Amino acid sequence: MSRFFHAGSDSESESESSDDGVVDVRPAGLTRAQLQFSDDEEETKRVVRSEKDKRFDELKGIIKVLKNHKKIKDMANVLTDFESLTRAFDKARKVVDREGLPRFYIRTLADLEDFVNECWEDKEWRKNISKGNSKGLSTVRQKIKKYNRDFEDQLKAYRETPDAGDEDVDDEEEAKPAEESDDEVPVKPVVKKEEKAPKAPKVLTGDDDDDSDWGSESSEESSSSEDEARGVSHWTAEYFLKSTTEQEAQRREERKLEKRLRKEEKEGKRKGEEEDDDDEEGWQKVNSGAPSQAITEKPKLFAKDQEITLDAVVKKLNEIIIMRGKKGTDRSMMIELLQELKTIAEGADLGKPLSVKICFNIMAAIYDYNPNIATCMKPEMWEKSSLPTIQELLDTLVENPDIQVSESISEDNELLDKGGPYKIRGCILTMVERLDEEFTKMLQACDAHSTEFVERLKDEQAMCEIIVKLESYLEKNGTNEEMCRIYLRHIEHLYYKFDPTAFETAAPEHPDKTSQALMDRMCKFIYAKDNTDRLRTRAMLCHIYHHALHDRWYQARDLMVMSNLQDNIQYSDVSTQILYNRTLVQLGLCGFRQGHIRDAHNALVDIQSSNRAKELLAQGLVPQRQHERSPEQEKIEKRRLLPYHKHINLELLECVYLVSAMLIEIPFMAAHELELRKRLISKNFHHVLKMSERQTLTGPPESMREHVVAASKAMKNGDWKKCCNFIINEKMNAKVWDLFYQADKVRDMISAKIQEESLRTFLFRYSAMYDSLSLDSLATMFEISPRLVHATISKMIINEELMASLDEPTQIVVMHRTEPTRLQSLALQLSEKVGSLVDNNERIMEIKQGNFFFNKSNVSGHRPDQRDNYQNQNQQGWGGRGRQQRNQNRGDRGGGSSRWRRYRGGDRDHRGGDRDHRGGDRDHRGGDRDHRGGDRDHRGGDRDHRGGDRDNYRNRDQRERY
């Protein structure tokens, strides 16, 4: 039976009618005309909807899901829903253009933008969300800003006059009549006798006050069942059409109003209950979920009438310490109890030793508050608890020298009574070291470009004061090991800081208090007194870094070379290896500033060649191509990163490396341009050049790399002015050179080095074009002094890089014509390649022919030994003497070009003769092989024969040469 016949299948109407005493009226016989639609549409419900309703319902459905995801702050799904919403709006573009922009869509965009901005401002929540939610939040923030630009006017108008009492999409859907929902019962037949439209069933909303509405709902359903019974005879096509009347719209508005009133009543009741609870004493509001701090009773330290004595305070202190580490212990409450106990002890005037002991326990409780090593201390706890407590503890120890603090003192041997020397168990050095580590973690957790980082960095001065104060205390009461540890802490806060007074020529007022004097004193103490290699290694690296930072090149270089750290650094821990990389980089920068280009390049090449300078210097993580890091490994590597104020500018580092490589590599390339196997000094520099050569269109340089590449090409052509303009200009000054101290001095040094290396490149490349060159003309061309030109050319002649001689009276460089021209060099390369190809060809032929290929009789009468001797002589004459002669001709620097050609011609004739003899030799091989088993008595005659052959060949060679 069709499910449209509700009179027989509606269980709800049956139960309700039976409860009210109404007899169920079932339809009697139905005619064929009345059932004409039941066979065709037995299992389907046909709802006729306009395109506007379809599109808008789709948008409302997406908005409903979006709101659910907003409630739980699932930003990844919020991003997905927003993208779906924009796509659905694009589909409904025709309807929107025709009907107008719907108000609910503008409201959704405005609410979403406000929600995203609110989430973005909540920094505490952003720190704890997952990686996917963080990415979704940043993406949807960018997209919603960009998308809302198209609706600026509508959003502005909406924000000025927002809808009064806007209802959620869920409420609108709940208020829809039953005929608009696909999951609810179909519309009852329209009764023409009565104008009253069928009442839509109420949808349950889940509110507590909905129980009061059940009676009205049952009465409505009973009346609808009566109408259904009366209107069964009118089941026609009109039954399946959608009913939209003014009464339905009015009824929908009434439902919205009723629901709003119920919500307001609920809120009023809740506010009244809260006010009543506030008036009652002894009650405290508790949030739902796990037991909160309010449930845990705060233990009372002392009774009102109890006497505050030393023993009572110590006993209460031990009770609080016993709670440490137990499950369910509130750590923050423990800190508060210890601080309150300290206040009580100070109020009772129980002595400084007891305050020192309580301060040690307060610091231990603060460090225990955050059990996770990866996370840092809260700023509030740092400012209000840890930093003041340490400062107070240090002041007390310095002012009271009779208080002894040591880890070797056991708790039973502690002396807190008045009148003695006091002994307390504890280590102030460990507390300060842990505080310094927490300070570093707080700097790592802050955003480097935020005001929070700047505010937190201001506390470094207080941290340094604590370290200096502890130094003065340990110098009187500490051991050498403790002194080395605190000195290293002071060095690590000092070594990377630039001191402009180090460059002043005038003597300082207090020479013992300068940064250089402090570093020397502390580092030398560690060199002499430390028993562990780690502290000595770190102190030495910091010392070298400080020397290099202040342009003390020779001290830094000598200390690095004498320490031999480069041989054993791979066995050190990771933090020491990072410090070594930083020191090596700073040493290279110092060498560059002082004009030691080759030393600077050698120091920087290991860091820059791997393209992982950012990771090697612990300034960030580089994504790995081959494998991904696990979450634990990523946390460990993030923990090693340095705070931002210790970073070295990576762009400056790369620019210094590329400029150093350019000044070394370009003259070397010009000197060895015609070599087959080119040796690379800097692979990274060659890679940058190749990448620029592959570009089809090269415009004016913009980035730092492009400037260096353009300067390299200009230097290769000997144009030093163009090269200098590419390296030193406004862009490069702003990006790189202005970051140096005394930047003008560095720019002058670079310009001088470019002039000198351009001169070398010019001589290497164009010396074959000149018979002689004037030193004055070279000095004018490159705008350098004649003395520097003389020194540069003299070095090139001494190092045998340039085949020339200096004529002192005339100040002229005379070129020696021993170097082959470019065409001659290419011809030599071709002849060598062809010679090697012929040798390989003959070897392959001999292997292929074998011993049985030429099976001829011994016509010439040569013996096998004679044939072997003949072949060896022939090969020696062609391959040995000929090559020796060629090498001799090339190495003869005093000969002329005509002599060189004559010897080359003799070599060719000699080769031709040798090839003829080889041909004859092949003809005799078959016969020689047959005579291998001959008499050994004839060997003596063969030896005589060989001697005659040698004389004949020697005479013939001499005739061919001359």
Side-chain angles (χ1 to χ4, degrees):
M1 181 180 292
S2 174
R3 63 177 178 173
F4 294 107
F5 299 106
H6 294 321
S9 62
D10 194 352
S11 59
E12 294 182 1
S13 61
E14 288 178 4
S15 61
E16 292 175 1
S17 61
S18 61
D19 294 340
D20 297 338
V22 180
V23 180
D24 186 11
V25 180
R26 297 182 181 274
L30 298 175
T31 61
R32 186 184 181 100
Q34 292 172 344
L35 299 176
Q36 57 183 342
F37 295 104
S38 62
D39 296 335
D40 298 337
E41 301 180 0
E42 183 175 356
E43 295 297 332
T44 59
K45 294 181 291 183
R46 301 185 64 180
V47 179
V48 180
R49 293 193 300 169
S50 63
E51 186 180 5
K52 173 185 174 183
D53 295 337
K54 289 180 182 178
R55 297 303 181 192
F56 284 5
D57 288 346
E58 183 181 2
L59 291 174
K60 290 176 182 178
I62 298 173
I63 292 171
K64 179 181 178 182
V65 177
L66 175 63
K67 288 188 176 182
N68 292 335
H69 289 149
K70 281 165 57 179
K71 290 177 183 177
I72 60 175
K73 292 189 176 181
D74 188 356
M75 302 310 298
N77 286 324
V78 167
L79 173 61
T80 306
D81 297 337
F82 176 69
E83 292 174 348
S84 303
L85 184 65
T86 54
R87 287 195 295 268
F89 184 76
D90 292 337
K91 291 181 182 178
R93 182 69 68 177
K94 295 181 180 179
V95 178
V96 171
D97 294 340
R98 185 173 63 251
E99 302 290 339
L101 190 64
R103 183 75 169 176
F104 68 86
Y105 189 74
I106 295 298
R107 181 173 65 247
T108 302
L109 293 180
D111 294 343
L112 181 59
E113 186 176 7
D114 296 340
F115 171 74
V116 170
N117 292 334
E118 181 182 353
C119 292
W120 185 262
E121 292 174 358
D122 191 357
K123 294 183 180 179
E124 293 296 330
W125 176 77
R126 281 168 54 194
K127 290 179 182 178
N128 300 325
I129 60 176
S130 62
K131 190 175 181 181
N133 281 342
S134 177
K135 185 177 179 181
L137 176 61
S138 58
T139 307
V140 76
R141 181 169 174 262
Q142 295 174 359
K143 288 190 174 183
I144 191 67
K145 280 185 179 180
K146 185 177 180 181
Y147 189 76
N148 284 356
R149 291 172 188 168
D150 300 334
F151 305 98
E152 286 183 359
D153 298 336
Q154 294 88 340
L155 287 170
K156 186 177 180 181
Y158 171 76
R159 293 184 191 279
E160 290 176 357
T161 57
D163 294 340
D166 285 340
E167 296 295 331
D168 294 339
V169 179
D170 300 341
D171 300 338
E172 293 178 1
E173 290 183 356
E174 289 174 1
K176 285 184 180 181
E179 65 268 15
E180 295 182 7
S181 176
D182 294 341
D183 298 333
E184 297 178 3
V185 296
V187 183
K188 305 298 183 293
V190 179
V191 182
K192 295 182 180 179
K193 294 180 180 180
E194 299 180 7
E195 295 180 357
K196 185 178 180 180
K199 184 79 173 180
K202 179 168 182 162
V203 181
L204 294 179
T205 60
D207 294 336
D208 297 338
D209 296 340
D210 291 346
D211 299 338
S212 60
D213 298 333
W214 286 357
S216 60
E217 186 178 353
S218 61
S219 62
E220 290 172 1
E221 290 180 356
S222 61
S223 62
S224 64
S225 61
E226 293 175 3
D227 295 339
E228 182 182 351
R230 288 194 299 269
V232 165
S233 59
H234 298 281
W235 286 357
T236 59
E238 188 179 2
Y239 171 79
F240 300 97
L241 294 179
K242 189 175 180 181
S243 174
T244 55
T245 60
E246 295 179 358
Q247 295 178 356
E248 289 294 334
Q250 184 178 0
R251 196 157 35 245
R252 194 181 311 152
E253 295 295 331
E254 291 175 357
R255 289 190 177 212
K256 285 185 182 180
L257 183 59
E258 290 175 3
K259 190 162 190 179
R260 195 178 309 122
L261 292 174
R262 283 199 304 271
K263 285 184 178 180
E264 292 176 357
E265 290 177 3
K266 274 180 149 187
E267 291 177 359
K269 287 181 181 179
R270 287 175 185 171
K271 289 181 180 179
E273 291 175 359
E274 290 177 0
E275 292 176 357
D276 295 339
D277 292 341
D278 294 338
D279 295 338
E280 296 179 4
E281 295 181 356
W283 293 95
Q284 191 173 8
K285 185 178 179 180
V286 178
N287 295 327
S288 61
S292 64
Q293 300 176 3
I295 296 177
T296 308
E297 271 191 30
K298 188 174 181 180
K300 296 180 180 179
L301 294 177
F302 299 101
K304 293 182 179 179
D305 301 333
Q306 185 178 357
E307 184 181 0
I308 308 299
T309 62
L310 180 64
D311 295 334
V313 173
V314 172
K315 183 179 179 181
K316 185 60 66 175
L317 177 63
N318 292 330
E319 290 178 3
I320 298 173
I321 293 173
I322 289 172
M323 296 167 55
R324 179 182 175 188
K326 288 186 177 180
K327 188 177 181 181
T329 303
D330 187 4
R331 299 185 181 92
S332 61
M333 185 187 70
M334 188 174 177
I335 297 171
E336 293 175 1
L337 290 175
L338 289 171
Q339 291 175 345
E340 185 178 352
L341 184 64
K342 179 175 174 293
T343 305
I344 294 173
E346 290 176 352
D349 194 15
L350 298 177
K352 294 293 182 182
L354 184 59
S355 299
V356 171
K357 183 175 176 61
I358 296 175
C359 284
F360 273 117
N361 288 284
I362 289 174
M363 291 304 302
I366 290 173
Y367 294 146
D368 288 343
Y369 181 79
N370 188 10
N372 191 358
I373 303 175
T375 57
C376 64
M377 187 185 296
K378 292 183 178 180
E380 298 83 8
M381 189 170 291
W382 166 267
E383 295 173 357
K384 298 178 181 179
S385 300
S386 59
L387 202 60
T389 305
I390 284 287
Q391 290 173 344
E392 182 183 355
L393 182 60
L394 267 174
D395 293 337
T396 305
L397 292 176
V398 171
E399 293 171 359
N400 299 276
D402 56 342
I403 300 177
Q404 297 179 8
V405 177
S406 176
E407 288 181 330
S408 59
I409 300 173
S410 62
E411 294 182 357
D412 298 334
N413 296 329
E414 286 184 342
L415 296 177
L416 303 175
D417 297 336
K418 295 182 179 180
Y422 304 103
K423 293 183 180 181
I424 300 172
R425 177 179 175 80
C427 183
I428 183 62
L429 177 58
T430 305
M431 293 293 175
V432 173
E433 287 179 340
R434 180 68 187 273
L435 188 71
D436 191 21
E437 292 173 1
E438 291 292 335
F439 177 68
T440 304
K441 286 197 290 185
M442 290 173 68
L443 291 176
Q444 290 174 346
C446 293
D447 185 9
H449 305 286
S450 64
T451 56
E452 181 185 2
F453 181 82
V454 178
E455 293 296 328
R456 192 58 50 225
L457 192 59
K458 292 178 182 178
D459 293 333
E460 188 180 15
Q461 185 177 0
M463 193 70 222
C464 292
E465 291 176 357
I466 290 173
I467 292 174
V468 172
K469 195 177 294 183
L470 183 58
E471 280 180 15
S472 62
Y473 174 77
L474 291 178
E475 285 174 358
K476 300 176 183 178
N477 304 313
T479 61
N480 288 334
E481 182 183 356
E482 292 176 342
M483 288 299 301
C484 291
R485 287 166 59 186
I486 194 61
Y487 276 161
L488 185 61
R489 288 286 171 181
H490 194 177
I491 287 169
E492 289 180 347
H493 279 276
L494 182 63
Y495 79 97
Y496 62 89
K497 294 178 181 177
F498 182 76
D499 185 10
T501 59
F503 294 89
E504 295 179 359
T505 56
E509 297 180 0
H510 303 283
D512 296 337
K513 295 184 179 181
T514 60
S515 61
Q516 182 180 358
L518 284 174
M519 288 291 295
D520 289 340
R521 180 174 64 85
M522 292 187 291
C523 290
K524 288 177 181 178
F525 182 87
I526 294 176
Y527 300 157
K529 303 295 184 180
D530 179 50
N531 297 324
T532 61
D533 292 335
R534 183 178 183 275
L535 296 183
R536 187 186 300 111
T537 301
R538 292 187 67 86
M540 193 172 296
L541 289 172
C542 293
H543 203 182
I544 296 169
Y545 190 103
H546 194 264
H547 279 314
L549 187 63
H550 296 89
D551 286 347
R552 296 188 285 269
W553 161 252
Y554 292 104
Q555 292 92 321
R557 184 199 63 181
D558 295 343
L559 191 56
M560 175 66 83
V561 172
M562 288 188 299
S563 63
N564 292 325
L565 291 174
Q566 60 273 13
D567 298 334
N568 302 320
I569 195 62
Q570 65 268 19
Y571 303 111
S572 303
D573 57 316
V574 179
S575 60
T576 306
Q577 292 181 17
I578 291 170
L579 181 58
Y580 174 79
N581 294 337
R582 287 168 52 81
T583 305
L584 201 62
V585 163
Q586 197 61 246
L587 193 63
L589 294 176
C590 176
F592 181 81
R593 289 192 297 267
Q594 296 298 313
H596 304 285
I597 303 300
R598 189 170 292 276
D599 293 330
H601 178 268
N602 293 336
L604 299 176
V605 66
D606 292 334
I607 302 296
Q608 287 296 125
S609 59
S610 60
N611 292 326
R612 293 171 55 228
K614 189 176 183 180
E615 187 173 354
L616 292 175
L617 299 177
Q619 297 181 187
L621 297 181
V622 179
Q624 297 179 352
R625 297 179 181 177
Q626 298 178 356
H627 61 279
E628 294 183 358
R629 299 182 183 89
S630 61
E632 296 180 358
Q633 185 179 0
E634 189 172 355
K635 287 181 181 179
I636 293 172
E637 292 186 2
K638 282 184 177 180
R639 223 177 297 152
R640 296 172 184 156
L641 298 181
L642 295 173
Y644 183 74
H645 67 288
K646 293 184 180 181
H647 285 192
I648 299 172
N649 194 320
L650 295 178
E651 189 173 11
L652 168 68
L653 183 63
E654 185 180 7
C655 181
V656 168
Y657 169 72
L658 290 178
V659 171
S660 303
M662 177 192 74
L663 295 174
I664 297 172
E665 196 69 69
I666 296 300
F668 183 81
M669 291 169 61
H672 303 82
E673 187 177 4
L674 301 175
E675 286 187 359
L676 291 176
R677 296 181 179 179
K678 296 182 179 179
R679 185 168 61 89
L680 303 180
I681 298 176
S682 174
K683 293 183 179 179
N684 195 8
F685 178 74
H686 279 275
H687 176 70
V688 173
L689 287 180
K690 287 181 181 178
M691 293 299 292
S692 66
E693 290 173 358
R694 291 178 184 175
Q695 294 179 357
T696 55
L697 297 174
T698 55
E702 295 180 0
S703 65
M704 179 270 299
R705 286 188 180 183
E706 292 176 355
H707 277 86
V708 176
V709 169
S712 302
K713 292 179 180 178
M715 180 184 282
K716 200 172 182 180
N717 297 327
D719 191 352
W720 73 271
K721 288 186 178 180
K722 197 172 181 181
C723 174
C724 193
N725 291 333
F726 280 125
I727 294 296
I728 301 173
N729 51 52
E730 293 182 359
K731 283 186 179 180
M732 294 292 287
N733 289 340
K735 287 184 178 180
V736 180
W737 307 127
D738 288 342
L739 300 178
F740 283 121
Y741 186 73
Q742 297 177 348
D744 295 334
K745 183 179 176 182
V746 175
R747 282 191 282 264
D748 294 340
M749 182 273 299
I750 294 171
S751 179
K753 289 292 179 181
I754 288 175
Q755 290 171 330
E756 183 180 347
E757 297 302 327
S758 298
L759 172 62
R760 285 165 47 83
T761 307
F762 178 81
L763 292 175
F764 281 135
R765 189 158 191 179
Y766 300 110
S767 61
M769 308 296 177
Y770 296 93
D771 292 329
S772 61
L773 284 169
S774 174
L775 296 182
D776 295 333
S777 62
L778 290 176
T780 305
M781 183 185 302
F782 291 96
E783 296 183 6
I784 54 179
S785 63
R787 185 176 180 182
L788 182 58
V789 174
H790 185 278
T792 303
I793 295 177
S794 299
K795 287 180 184 178
M796 295 175 67
I797 293 173
I798 291 171
N799 296 330
E800 296 183 358
E801 295 175 344
L802 182 66
M803 296 306 149
S805 58
L806 277 170
D807 189 5
E808 293 290 343
T810 58
Q811 293 293 310
I812 290 176
V813 184
V814 180
M815 301 295 175
H816 297 168
R817 291 285 187 171
T818 56
E819 291 294 330
T821 61
R822 180 178 178 83
L823 181 61
Q824 291 171 351
S825 301
L826 294 174
L828 284 173
Q829 294 177 13
L830 181 61
S831 64
E832 289 178 359
K833 289 183 179 180
V834 170
S836 63
L837 182 62
V838 169
D839 290 341
N840 294 333
N841 218 1
E842 289 178 356
R843 292 192 190 100
I844 292 171
M845 288 298 296
E846 288 178 2
I847 293 171
K848 285 186 176 181
Q849 287 171 2
N851 295 334
F852 54 85
F853 190 80
F854 292 103
N855 192 8
K856 296 181 180 179
S857 60
N858 187 8
V859 179
S860 60
H862 290 290
R863 295 189 59 82
D865 294 335
Q866 184 178 356
R867 191 265 306 171
D868 294 338
N869 182 34
Y870 173 79
Q871 185 175 1
N872 291 336
Q873 287 180 356
N874 205 3
Q875 288 180 355
Q876 184 179 2
W878 184 76
R881 288 197 301 271
R883 289 176 185 169
Q884 291 176 3
Q885 190 65 36
R886 289 198 304 274
N887 294 334
Q888 183 179 0
N889 292 336
R890 292 181 193 172
D892 190 3
R893 304 298 185 186
S897 59
S898 59
R899 183 180 176 187
W900 180 78
R901 294 191 187 96
R902 184 168 65 250
Y903 278 115
R904 291 292 298 170
D907 273 344
R908 293 192 185 98
D909 297 337
H910 185 75
R911 288 184 183 180
D914 285 339
R915 291 193 185 97
D916 296 336
H917 284 293
R918 286 192 178 187
D921 213 14
R922 293 192 189 97
D923 297 334
H924 291 290
R925 282 179 188 171
D928 286 339
R929 292 191 185 95
D930 297 333
H931 291 282
R932 284 183 183 178
D935 257 340
R936 297 175 181 172
D937 298 333
H938 295 283
R939 289 184 180 175
D942 289 336
R943 291 192 186 98
D944 298 336
H945 189 96
R946 289 177 195 168
D949 286 340
R950 289 193 190 98
D951 296 336
N952 294 332
Y953 287 127
R954 191 175 295 112
N955 294 333
R956 190 181 65 181
D957 290 339
Q958 292 176 358
R959 287 196 302 272
E960 287 177 350
R961 289 175 186 166
Y962 296 100

